[in-house]
Structures are given as C-alpha cells and as structure tokens.
Amino acid sequence: MIVVMDKDSGDDEIAQVVKRLEAAGLKGHLSKGVERTVIGVVGVATGLPELRESLALMPGVENVVPISKPYKLSSREFKAEDTVIEVGGVSIGGDQVVVMAGPCAVESEEQVMSTARAVKAAGASVLRGGAFKPSTSPYSFRGLGEEGLKILAHAKAETGLPLVTEVLTPGDVELVARYADILQVGARNMQNFILLDEVGKAGKPVLLKRGMSATIQEWLLAVEYVLSQGNRQVVLCERGIRTFETHTRNTLDVSAVPSIQKLSHLPIIADPSHGTGRWELVTPMALASVAAGAHGLLIEVHPTPDTALKDGAQSLTFAHFDELMARLAPVAAAVGRRLALKGA
Ligand code: PEP
Ligand code: MN
C-alpha cells in the first residue's frame, strides 16, 4: 500500500507514519513529489486492514491506497513522475537519449582508448565495456578483471565519459563500484538476489538487464530488490528474450519499452546488440527502440569486430556507429527527445 500525505503535511507527521509502520514490522520508503509526499509501504505484516484504517486516521495523512501490483517501489502507483538519474553530467530518463557505447569486453588499452575516442566523437555520452564477463562457455574469454577496470578508468580520464561496466558477483561489488559510474547487472544475473541486494547498497546507479526468459513482472520484482535497499537509481535495459526464432540471437522485445514506461517510473533503455546478435540489425532496431520511447541505447562497438574476443558478430565498426548516430538524431527529435551530449 501507499500512504498519501496531505499537501501541507509536515516532516514530523511523515516521521510519525514511518514510525508507526516500523512498529508494525514494515518499512516506509518516501517519495517526495512536487505536489506531495507518498510513503511506499513494503514488508510482511499481519492485521493489514486494521493498520490501514489506523494509518488513515493519523495527522497529515490524506489517503491510504493499496498497490495492486506485486512490485511496489518501481510502480507508477508509488511514484507518478519519471525518475531521472544524473550520471557524470548526463541525465537518463528525461527528454534526452543517452547512448552508451563501447566494446563487449575490455581486451587491451589500445582497443578501449581508440573505441572511447571514436564513440565520443560520434556523440555517445557513456562508455561501456566488460572487465568481468559472464560467459556461456567456460572456454571463452572471461575478461581482464581489475586490469580491465583500470583501462576503462584511463579512457574515462581522457574522454570524460562516465563508465558502465558489469559486476558478476556480490564479492566484486565494492571493487567494481570504485571504477564504475553505473553498475551493470547482466541478463544471466537478473535473479541473483544476493547480488541485487549488494548493488542496492553500493550507492551507485545500477543498470539492470532483463533476464533472457524473464517476464516484465519478474524483471520489475528483481528491481524491487535494489530499490528496497534504498537505491533509487536504477535504469532498466531490454536486451532481448529467448524465443523460437534462431535467425537472431535473441528477440528484442521493443514493446517492453512502452510497457515499462506505463508500469514504472524508472528509465528504460534498449540493447539492440545482444537483442539481435547481428551487427546489420543493430541500427534499425536502435532506431525502432528510440521511436518506441527508449531513454537510451547500449551499443557494442569494436575497432575490428572480426578479431573481437567477444560478440564480434554484433559489434559495429566505428564507421557503422557514426552512421547509427547520424540516423538517430532525427528519430529522437520526432519523438520529442534529443541526443544527450556529455556535459551538455
Ligand atoms: C553485455 O552487455 O556484454 C552482456 C553480457 O549482456 P547480457 O547480460 O545482456 O547478455
Ligand atoms: Mn556482449
């Protein structure tokens, strides 16, 4: 349920409600909107109908409303306004389209530096690259680890681009958070609940990818783990789901973009690289995602895709990435958005 406070309720009255919830074994999460404060109630308690009635009688309380969905803090019912996340001079979730680009995996200093310069010149505003790689096969490249994070840090120092990079295990959260501006939780870890708890405590924005066979409801419930730790800075990323189709690596569910926007206040971006697995489909699906309302894109770019250690088949060359960016600007404008520029 949510407790909607009166427009002119004071901090004291809000604190009393939170105290009352805690006494009942529940937790109150505040959402201070422009108009009024709403308190999202989460937890398990008995005697809810009585509690609801007694909360409704407390000073400063306008209304107590049950939330119909199983996910609470991520829902529009809890927070009507869009969440906008500020990362290194870029706003994700507002009227900008934020393009995050870079290689699938950090392979070398030279590879990352050249890619960072190229994607920045083309208009990307966040650099991506994996140092800890999830891998279906134990025999393929699993990343450079901390050495990879250091390479990303050099690229950030030179270009000023904030970094998004994946964290694979709860034990690595602290290390990765020292380098990353956004902690990526990958599709394979969407329901790694211990990891979700840890990134929820890390104090850094989180990019949560959709699991490859997760429903939208399961995805939003996974987000709840992060939000209920007190971290409100979560960006969702649609990266394709498993279907019967084998021509593409995954099926990019473009309809997830407006669906999430209807159900949740959190920003949603699309990853047409993993969503298709084929470089020639990346640009059309990037345009489609932005036309559908995506707040941003995650795009794999490599200096020489044919020699990439990971995901070469879906990686754009610098020239193809330039072309994507040039074609993206008018599509963004057509839906009332503009391309984010670092520091703009
Ligand atoms: C990635 O971004 O390189 C990645 C491994 O993505 P996903 O978790 O979507 O497969
Ligand atoms: Mn990849």
Side-chain angles (χ1 to χ4, degrees):
M1 65 184 147
I2 54 174
V3 181
V4 183
M5 300 301 291
D6 273 333
K7 252 192 216 132
D8 36 42
S9 60
D11 286 349
D12 209 41
E13 289 163 331
I14 295 171
Q16 287 304 320
V17 172
V18 172
K19 225 169 123 189
R20 176 78 185 80
L21 293 170
E22 284 169 358
L26 298 166
K27 206 164 172 219
H29 291 266
L30 301 194
S31 164
K32 290 195 186 232
V34 253
E35 283 276 298
R36 46 169 45 84
T37 295
V38 163
I39 306 172
V41 181
V42 294
V44 187
T46 48
L48 270 184
E50 295 77 16
L51 177 66
R52 212 174 283 151
E53 274 167 35
S54 80
L55 287 167
L57 295 173
M58 288 183 75
V61 172
E62 184 187 283
N63 207 356
V64 181
V65 193
I67 295 191
S68 53
K69 308 279 189 329
Y71 44 89
K72 311 285 177 195
L73 304 175
S74 57
S75 74
R76 281 269 179 210
E77 289 163 285
F78 172 57
K79 184 168 181 274
E81 309 96 55
D82 287 350
T83 289
V84 180
I85 295 166
E86 308 289 339
V87 185
V90 187
S91 308
I92 311 170
D95 63 355
Q96 303 185 5
V97 173
V98 176
V99 180
M100 309 179 185
C104 176
V106 173
E107 298 169 12
S108 69
E109 176 99 19
E110 165 56 24
Q111 171 234 20
V112 171
M113 294 310 280
S114 62
T115 308
R117 288 182 199 119
V119 299
K120 184 183 179 180
S125 43
V126 177
L127 179 65
R128 67 146 285 149
F132 293 92
K133 292 303 304 177
S135 187
T136 301
S137 162
Y139 308 122
S140 51
F141 185 53
R142 294 170 70 178
L144 295 180
E146 188 170 6
E147 190 196 331
L149 295 174
K150 289 186 175 149
I151 293 174
L152 288 170
H154 294 162
K156 175 180 169 176
E158 189 195 294
T159 59
L161 294 175
L163 303 173
V164 57
T165 192
E166 179 159 355
V167 57
L168 273 184
T169 66
D172 285 336
V173 170
E174 201 198 314
L175 169 71
V176 178
R178 261 188 262 140
Y179 295 88
D181 297 283
I182 306 174
L183 295 167
Q184 177 173 324
V185 174
R188 290 158 190 79
N189 265 328
M190 188 204 83
Q191 286 186 318
N192 180 339
F193 303 120
I194 311 291
L195 179 63
L196 297 174
D197 278 341
E198 284 309 307
V199 296
K201 292 182 210 152
K204 285 272 166 96
V206 172
L207 186 143
L208 180 62
K209 290 192 148 197
R210 180 179 185 178
M212 54 188 84
S213 37
T215 63
I216 285 181
Q217 178 160 306
E218 287 163 343
W219 190 12
L220 288 173
L221 282 168
V223 173
E224 290 290 312
Y225 277 83
V226 182
L227 299 179
S228 62
Q229 290 295 339
N231 188 346
R232 302 293 176 82
Q233 300 183 288
V234 182
V235 180
L236 295 164
C237 178
E238 163 60 42
R239 49 77 72 203
I241 48 176
R242 263 285 150 94
T243 67
F244 56 79
E245 184 55 72
T246 54
H247 176 71
T248 44
R249 180 176 177 185
N250 291 292
T251 297
L252 187 72
D253 181 7
V254 179
S255 75
V257 171
S259 302
I260 288 288
Q261 282 168 351
K262 179 128 181 69
L263 300 171
S264 177
H265 51 86
L266 294 169
I268 164 98
I269 69 167
D271 169 357
S273 304
H274 295 87
T276 64
R278 291 172 168 256
W279 75 265
E280 71 276 17
L281 300 180
V282 169
T283 293
M285 294 312 283
L287 302 179
S289 301
V290 169
H295 295 111
L297 295 168
L298 192 69
I299 306 285
E300 289 188 338
V301 179
H302 196 282
T304 49
D306 48 343
T307 64
L309 294 182
K310 248 185 140 53
D311 288 353
Q314 66 194 36
S315 298
L316 298 186
T317 60
F318 298 165
H320 284 135
F321 183 67
D322 281 348
E323 192 189 314
L324 182 163
M325 293 303 284
R327 291 178 62 191
L328 195 58
V331 175
V335 291
R337 295 233 168 91
R338 64 194 162 85
L339 292 188
L341 283 178
K342 175 68 190 78

